[in-house]
Amino acid sequence: MEKNILRQFQQYFGKESQIAAAPGRVNLIGEHTDYNLGFVLPGAIDKNIYVGLTPNTDYLLNLQALEFHEKYSFSLDNMHPVKGWPTYLLGMIYMIMPDKRLPFGMDVVVTGDVPIGAGMSSSAALCSAFGLALNEVFHLGLSRMDIALAGQKTEHLFASLQCGIMDQFASLHGKAGHLIKLDCRSLEYEYIPFDFPDFRIVLVNTMVSHTLASSEYNLRRQQCEAGVSILKKYDGSIHSLRDVQKDLLEAHKEELDETVYKRCRYIIGENQRLLDGCDFLKKHNLNAFGKLMYESHIGLSKDYAISCDESDFLVEKIKNLNGVKGARQMGGGFGGCIITLVEEKAAHGFISEIRYKYEEKFNKVPDCYLMNISEGAHIVKPKA
Ligand code: GLA
């Protein structure tokens, strides 16, 4: 793949460009816990967004996406949010170039194979790849965490999604064969080997990409904060749902709006599932881990209400298929992908069966992906 990309960029620019790659992510468990300052367990995937960049002298940001045959030009004097994918690049420039006056313009080309709208974080991958390229070209000396935080702020201010840090962090810190247990409050992290040669992570795409996803997402965040503002009256050390114990929530259940109570119950349970899940993975207990994935899905569907008919159908059907340990809605929700753990030898049979069952019900064939946990964002060096 990378050789091909290098050739494409070379052809396009007619000279060498700075090329950076950044992957999408999976998340094994710990969904919507990041902005509640709890834990997540993502891993980078072997699907990347590639950004090629060369300086120009006309002080413009010229953008092109190879797949879409779209071209855009922006003046670098005025970075502001726009519709569509260019907003992520404008946002990254705004966030990471402190004096906002660049020494030269840039021609930027984007391509890649992270499916868009499938819940694998193509936008975080785009921000991460572009951030890494800017860091190289302008010698900014930013750390990977700096670039991840700039990506998160870009989502907040240039794409109106009040997301947590998981996606950008995972894209920039991924390590082949490892998941990352990230503490979203301290930003400390630990690599946990995903060392199960007889098992595969398989993503099943609902092919649903909900248009309300960002407004519902932001609403979940507000509901969690509403819970915290009431519960902290009873314990001054509470700053986020990460700090709330189940007993405290139950003791004050009546004071919370029913929806807020359910959102809080899910997050508190999910954070505990993540902590237990990491212990199970370290003990190589995939049966117990898989059970937690199913519990997570029930919480996401009933209490957090970010699943959809297609996701619930898939998890229900997947449960009864051969060789499966666990399955659940992954990522922001409202469609996107179901993440499953499947025995290697059963994986191909699993894919054809679930495709058949889904098509029979919804009249469309779901894309399925066998994932490999891979390296995070990197500079793609042309071969000397
Ligand atoms: C999206 C957000 C992340 C995270 C997940 C849900 O991917 O970008 O920050 O909240 O949803 O876990």
Side-chain angles (χ1 to χ4, degrees), residues 52 55 65 89 107 143 152 177 190 207 263-264 377 379:
L89 306 193
D107 294 344
S143 70
Q152 183 193 19
E190 175 193 352
M207 316 303 279
R263 307 298 190 243
C264 295
I379 295 294

Side-chain angles (χ1 to χ4, degrees), residues 144-154 165 168 172 187:
R144 285 176 177 258
M145 198 63 94
D146 293 334
I147 299 173
L149 291 165
Q152 183 193 19
K153 272 200 203 140
T154 293
I165 189 65
Q168 298 77 9
L172 283 146
L187 298 184

Side-chain angles (χ1 to χ4, degrees), residues 25 27 30-35 40 119 121 155 161 163-168 217 330-333:
R25 59 101 191 90
N27 185 31
E31 221 63 87
H32 288 263
T33 40
D34 58 355
Y35 54 84
V40 288
S121 298
E155 292 277 1
L161 184 78
C163 66
I165 189 65
M166 170 169 74
D167 303 350
Q168 298 77 9
Y217 183 100
M330 187 182 78

